[in-house]
Short mmCIF file of all heavy atoms in Angstrom, two decimals:
data_model
loop_
_atom_site.label_atom_id
_atom_site.label_comp_id
_atom_site.label_asym_id
_atom_site.label_seq_id
_atom_site.Cartn_x
_atom_site.Cartn_y
_atom_site.Cartn_z
N ASP A 181 53.16 136.38 109.53
CA ASP A 181 52.37 135.20 109.85
C ASP A 181 53.11 134.44 110.96
O ASP A 181 54.29 134.66 111.20
CB ASP A 181 52.23 134.32 108.60
CG ASP A 181 51.16 133.25 108.74
OD1 ASP A 181 50.47 133.21 109.77
OD2 ASP A 181 51.02 132.44 107.80
N SER A 201 62.40 133.12 111.93
CA SER A 201 62.63 133.09 113.38
C SER A 201 61.89 131.91 114.00
O SER A 201 60.70 131.72 113.77
CB SER A 201 62.14 134.39 114.03
OG SER A 201 62.84 135.51 113.51
N LYS A 206 58.98 128.13 125.93
CA LYS A 206 59.32 127.79 127.31
C LYS A 206 60.45 128.66 127.84
O LYS A 206 60.45 129.06 129.01
CB LYS A 206 59.70 126.31 127.41
CG LYS A 206 58.54 125.36 127.13
CD LYS A 206 58.98 123.92 127.25
CE LYS A 206 57.83 122.98 126.95
NZ LYS A 206 58.24 121.54 127.04
#
Side-chain angles (χ1 to χ4, degrees):
D181 194 4
S201 300
K206 294 180 180 179

